[in-house]
Amino acid sequence: MPISGKRIQRSVIFQVFLAMAVIAGMALASMSLSVYVTVSAQNDAEAINLAGSLRMHSYRISNYLGLASQARSDDVEQRLAAEMKQVTDKLNASIIPLVVNEANNVPLEKSYALVLSNWQQGMAPVIQSSLDGATSWQESHRRYNAGLDQWVDDIDAMVTHLQRDNEGKIELLGMTEAVSIILIIFIVLYLIMRADSNFVVPLRKLLKAAEAVERGNLGHRVTVYPENELGVLAASFNTMTASLEAQYRTLEKQVEERTRELHRSNQALYFLYKTSREVASSPYDERLLRVFLAELQKVSNVEKINLCVNAEPNYPNYEYLGTDTAATDYCDGDCNICALPPAQPANPHAPGLSLPIGSRSDNYGFLYVKPHNGEKLLPWQSQLLKTVAETLSTSFAFHRNLGQEHRLMLLEERSTIARELHDSLAQSLSYMKLETARLKKLISKDSQPHLIEEAIEDLQEGINAAYKHLRELLVTFRVKLDSPNLRSALEHAVQEFNELSAAEITLDYKIDGAGLGPNGDIHVLHVIREAINNAVKHAAAGRISLRCERNQNGDCIFTVDDDGVGIPERPEKAHHYGLYTMRERAQRLGGMLHFSVRDCGGTRVQLRVPTGTAKAIA
């Protein structure tokens, strides 16, 4: 862009340069004149001194002429000639004629010419005639003294003119310095005034504007636009603040939008948290589901949300739950209208979105969503609703699987109880039934009393054994795994046996992280409790140690060592099924149970459980 001359003249740089140039020019001129005056006046003092010495030479010549007229000195002629030569040299070959020529001073030139003329034509010829012998010394003395006063006056006039010329130079230097100082003062004042209007005021405006912007007032603008760099700076500042204000407003809008999104996200997260904590824990509670749907409608900002669900999967007889019970609206009371394919827009009879609730093979129903005024769902709304539908799907599937697992566990436990009763009480009752039939036969045949007594004793022994085994089964069935893991359950069992028996029982557990599953933990707990109970009741042990560790293959090894009487070669007894039950539980775990006699005395019961097999069975 071309720059005009007016703009250049008002430029800050140009004005500063011009001010410095003017001040520097004045100072340079003053210094130049000082140097000139100094150089031109450096010979004035010598010239004045030499001119003043001419008067001394005049009187000395007069004295020498008097001596010569009286013949009082032999060398007076030589001295007179020397004095005459000095005066001639000073008038013609000294600094005096040089100063007179350079001064360009007419009065000085005239007075110098008069002194020189008087000397060459009046005074010097008088002296020279006596030296040449043409005139007597008395006559020369008389004639010289007759013109001496006038000549001395002429010399005084020349000295005065030399002095005035020198003083004129000094006065010129002083006047020049004074004028220079006055001009510099005026120039400085002018520049200060210009600087105040062109620089200080705009800078003050810019400073106030910067302070206003610093305080957050982005709407402040600079109103002074000088035609220089400060004007460009002010315009740039205004443009910058306008841009900042626009960006700030944009950022404020973005922050507000982000804040709304964050608030909405927080509401959605809190709602999902409540969904996973409350609804997921009890998905069949109708009251809770209605509250859940009302909150979901508020959080997702839609017109309507309906839930058609059935606790049993893959059955079309849905139970209807909705946020609006107006019979004229869509899907109210008739879930088949809104039973749409997953994530597909509804037909004209149901303008909304249907989200399935279920897994790959099981369908528990669907969640129908109707936006406001037929609008499309926003991405965050779709994501929230899909997440809720997935959460409900997981909850329904989890509770159904949990119910099936409970039923399977109940059936398994009933099977276990049936086997326990069959292997123990049923056999004992069969034995007693046979003994009762035998007793009837002996009584009917009037057998000997001792045979009847033997039969009654056998029957009594069977009844006692059955009762004892019944108590053992009751204790076994009452054992529960209330602790959070197997280690806590074993610690609780060891503490219980320590309190109920005189034996000292210790636990060394080193298989943390090797979970066997809930069923596996229960079977292991039963086997170990039975082993410790046998060591306390049958082996009369004083010290019992329980070690739980892993072998090199990763299998879990449970070892019960006691210092009791030991175990016989055939530990099984009639009407006693504890060891048999322990082996059966070990087989269910896929492991092995081993009984052995320790070298140092006592019995060792060792259960080995493969971790993978136990998990699969559990």
Side-chain angles (χ1 to χ4, degrees):
M1 182 179 68
I3 301 176
S4 63
K6 185 176 181 181
R7 187 171 180 180
I8 293 176
Q9 292 178 2
R10 295 184 179 181
S11 171
V12 174
I13 298 175
F14 178 77
Q15 293 187 22
V16 171
F17 172 77
L18 182 61
M20 294 179 62
V22 170
I23 295 174
M26 293 297 297
L28 183 61
S30 177
M31 288 187 292
S32 301
L33 183 59
S34 300
V35 172
Y36 170 74
V37 172
T38 302
V39 172
S40 62
Q42 65 180 354
N43 297 323
D44 290 353
E46 183 180 0
I48 293 172
N49 186 32
L50 292 178
S53 66
L54 292 177
R55 291 173 293 188
M56 179 192 66
H57 289 293
S58 300
Y59 291 110
R60 291 175 68 178
I61 291 173
S62 176
N63 185 35
Y64 288 145
L65 287 174
L67 292 176
S69 63
Q70 297 174 6
R72 293 183 180 179
S73 176
D74 298 333
D75 56 351
V76 66
E77 294 181 5
Q78 296 179 357
R79 293 180 181 178
L80 187 60
E83 289 293 335
M84 184 179 175
K85 183 177 184 306
Q86 288 183 9
V87 172
T88 302
D89 292 339
K90 288 181 179 181
L91 288 175
N92 295 303
S94 67
I95 199 67
I96 294 175
L98 179 62
V99 171
V100 171
N101 294 330
E102 291 179 354
N104 293 325
N105 191 336
V106 176
L108 177 59
E109 293 177 355
K110 289 182 178 181
S111 61
Y112 171 73
L114 181 59
V115 171
L116 182 61
S117 175
N118 288 339
W119 172 257
Q120 293 178 349
Q121 297 178 8
M123 306 302 288
V126 173
I127 300 169
Q128 186 65 38
S129 63
S130 297
L131 290 175
D132 293 338
T135 307
S136 63
W137 290 106
Q138 290 82 2
E139 182 63 21
S140 296
H141 183 250
R142 183 186 64 80
R143 291 173 58 188
Y144 181 81
N145 286 337
L148 178 61
D149 292 336
Q150 182 62 43
W151 191 57
V152 171
D153 292 338
D154 294 338
I155 294 175
D156 289 338
M158 183 181 68
V159 172
T160 300
H161 285 101
L162 286 172
Q163 182 180 350
R164 288 178 179 176
D165 181 69
N166 182 261
E167 290 175 352
K169 294 178 181 179
I170 295 174
E171 289 176 359
L172 177 62
L173 178 61
M175 290 177 62
T176 304
E177 294 293 337
V179 171
S180 299
I181 293 173
I182 293 173
L183 290 177
I184 290 175
I185 291 174
F186 277 108
I187 291 172
V188 169
L189 292 176
Y190 173 76
L191 292 176
I192 290 175
M193 294 172 63
R194 289 294 300 273
D196 182 72
S197 61
N198 293 337
F199 309 146
V200 177
V201 173
L203 284 175
R204 191 180 297 116
K205 298 278 187 180
L206 284 171
L207 180 60
K208 290 182 179 179
E211 292 174 351
V213 171
E214 184 181 3
R215 291 192 297 268
N217 183 14
L218 295 178
H220 187 84
R221 297 291 183 269
V222 181
T223 57
V224 177
Y225 287 92
E227 297 182 3
N228 52 27
E229 289 86 347
L230 294 178
V232 177
L233 181 60
S236 300
F237 181 85
N238 289 339
T239 303
M240 179 190 69
T241 51
S243 176
L244 287 176
E245 185 178 14
Q247 293 181 5
Y248 182 76
R249 297 290 179 263
T250 303
L251 288 177
E252 279 187 338
K253 293 180 181 178
Q254 292 178 355
V255 169
E256 291 177 359
E257 182 65 25
R258 293 289 190 275
T259 303
R260 286 194 295 268
E261 292 178 0
L262 182 61
H263 180 67
R264 188 166 55 236
S265 300
N266 289 337
Q267 286 183 331
L269 289 175
Y270 180 70
F271 176 78
L272 291 175
Y273 167 73
K274 289 181 62 178
T275 301
S276 61
R277 186 185 64 179
E278 298 177 0
V279 178
S281 62
S282 181
Y284 304 115
D285 189 342
E286 180 178 347
R287 182 188 61 83
L288 186 61
L289 286 176
R290 289 189 182 277
V291 174
F292 157 74
L293 291 176
E295 293 182 356
L296 179 59
Q297 180 186 13
K298 182 179 179 181
V299 172
S300 59
N301 191 23
V302 294
E303 180 181 348
K304 183 182 191 179
I305 295 180
N306 295 333
L307 177 64
C308 293
V309 67
N310 194 333
E312 293 296 328
N314 304 320
Y315 284 92
N317 297 326
Y318 299 115
E319 180 181 0
Y320 169 80
L321 297 173
T323 57
D324 188 4
T325 58
T328 59
D329 218 336
Y330 298 108
C331 296
D332 291 330
D334 189 1
C335 292
N336 293 324
I337 297 178
C338 298
L340 306 174
Q344 293 294 326
N347 55 43
H349 298 287
L353 183 69
S354 180
L355 299 173
I357 299 176
S359 58
R360 294 181 179 178
S361 59
D362 297 329
N363 178 25
Y364 296 93
F366 57 89
L367 186 69
Y368 173 75
V369 181
K370 181 181 179 183
H372 289 290
N373 301 323
E375 298 176 354
K376 292 183 63 177
L377 291 176
L378 297 176
W380 69 269
Q381 293 175 312
S382 301
Q383 183 63 37
L384 173 61
L385 294 171
K386 289 180 182 178
T387 304
V388 170
E390 292 174 359
T391 302
L392 291 176
S393 302
T394 304
S395 176
F396 280 107
F398 171 75
H399 278 267
R400 183 171 185 274
N401 294 335
L402 185 63
Q404 291 179 347
E405 185 178 352
H406 286 169
R407 286 192 290 271
L408 291 176
M409 291 178 63
L410 181 60
L411 292 175
E412 182 180 355
E413 190 65 24
R414 287 182 177 179
S415 300
T416 301
I417 294 174
R419 284 195 299 269
E420 295 283 351
L421 292 175
H422 177 269
D423 294 340
S424 57
L425 288 179
Q427 293 184 9
S428 297
L429 292 176
S430 298
Y431 174 77
M432 286 186 287
K433 183 177 180 181
L434 294 175
E435 289 295 326
T436 302
R438 176 191 169 197
L439 180 61
K440 285 182 179 181
K441 288 182 181 180
L442 290 175
I443 294 174
S444 63
K445 292 181 181 180
D446 295 330
S447 300
Q448 298 179 2
H450 72 278
L451 295 177
I452 295 175
E453 288 290 336
E454 288 180 359
I456 292 174
E457 290 178 358
D458 290 341
L459 183 60
Q460 184 69 35
E461 183 180 357
I463 292 173
N464 292 336
Y467 178 72
K468 181 179 179 182
H469 196 68
L470 176 61
R471 293 186 62 185
E472 292 177 353
L473 288 176
L474 291 175
V475 172
T476 300
F477 293 148
R478 286 174 180 170
V479 174
K480 298 184 294 181
L481 191 63
D482 295 333
S483 302
N485 49 46
L486 180 60
R487 178 173 186 165
S488 300
L490 292 178
E491 290 176 350
H492 179 72
V494 169
Q495 181 181 1
E496 178 183 352
F497 278 106
N498 277 324
E499 294 175 354
L500 298 177
S501 67
E504 180 183 355
I505 306 173
T506 59
L507 172 64
D508 184 13
Y509 193 91
K510 297 181 179 178
I511 56 173
D512 290 335
L516 302 177
N519 290 341
D521 292 345
I522 291 177
H523 288 310
V524 171
L525 179 61
H526 278 299
V527 171
I528 292 176
R529 286 181 65 92
E530 186 68 25
I532 296 176
N533 185 58
N534 291 337
V536 172
K537 295 181 63 176
H538 303 296
R543 295 178 62 86
I544 303 173
S545 64
L546 170 61
R547 296 194 312 276
C548 309
E549 55 191 1
R550 281 185 172 186
N551 61 9
Q552 295 179 351
N553 297 327
D555 300 335
C556 297
I557 307 297
F558 302 91
T559 305
V560 179
D561 291 335
D562 64 70
D563 59 354
V565 297
I567 188 170
E569 294 182 0
R570 294 183 177 180
E572 291 83 358
K573 295 181 180 180
H575 310 296
H576 291 274
Y577 305 97
L579 297 181
Y580 173 78
T581 303
M582 292 171 64
R583 285 195 176 97
E584 184 180 5
R585 290 186 181 278
Q587 290 176 0
R588 292 178 188 173
L589 291 172
M592 294 182 60
L593 185 67
H594 181 67
F595 301 92
S596 63
V597 179
R598 300 172 62 198
D599 296 336
C600 58
T603 303
R604 169 170 291 180
V605 180
Q606 191 172 72
L607 172 65
R608 182 179 64 83
V609 181
T611 304
T613 305
K615 287 184 178 179
I617 294 175

